[in-house]
Amino acid sequence: MSRSDRPQENALLTDRIARRDGEVAKLTAFRALAISRLAAQHEEIERLRSRRLQEVEAHTVVTHLEPAARIRAVPSQGWERSEGIPIVNRDRDGNPL
């Protein structure tokens, strides 16, 4: 390698280092963003789990089911014209239970 080639080679190496440093900076920023998002997701999951646990402990999460005798099959026409809802859970007069 002659002395005349060294400045050109140094310039190429300096350019490579600058590009590499730029890539490292981008990847570092991406990593910080990803970690931040993961932390936020973790906090949200913990908040939802805590709220769900409080609801269960307070017995506020209860599903009340109708007794089987009060539920009847939907007739063949399927839908009431006036209300647009299936005919289920009605008394003999057609009133909702």
Side-chain angles (χ1 to χ4, degrees):
M1 177 184 298
S2 67
R3 287 183 174 232
S4 63
D5 292 336
R6 285 189 183 168
Q8 185 179 13
E9 186 176 343
N10 285 342
L12 290 172
L13 291 174
T14 303
D15 186 48
R16 278 181 57 194
I17 290 171
R19 282 184 300 192
R20 188 208 57 197
D21 289 347
E23 268 308 300
V24 169
K26 286 180 188 177
L27 293 172
T28 301
F30 176 78
R31 180 177 179 224
L33 179 64
I35 290 171
S36 174
R37 287 181 178 173
L38 285 172
Q41 289 173 357
H42 176 72
E43 288 177 8
E44 179 69 5
I45 289 168
E46 290 297 315
R47 185 187 67 78
L48 292 172
R49 283 182 180 162
S50 174
R51 190 174 95 194
R52 176 73 175 159
L53 182 61
Q54 289 171 356
E55 289 174 353
V56 169
E57 288 174 351
H59 302 290
T60 58
V61 180
V62 177
T63 303
H64 297 282
L65 301 175
E66 295 290 327
R70 294 175 72 183
I71 299 173
R72 38 185 197 125
V74 176
S76 60
Q77 69 265 17
W79 299 91
E80 288 184 85
R81 297 186 199 289
S82 63
E83 296 180 25
I85 56 173
I87 303 174
V88 292
N89 298 330
R90 304 267 179 179
D91 63 12
R92 289 185 182 144
D93 297 327
N95 298 319
L97 296 174

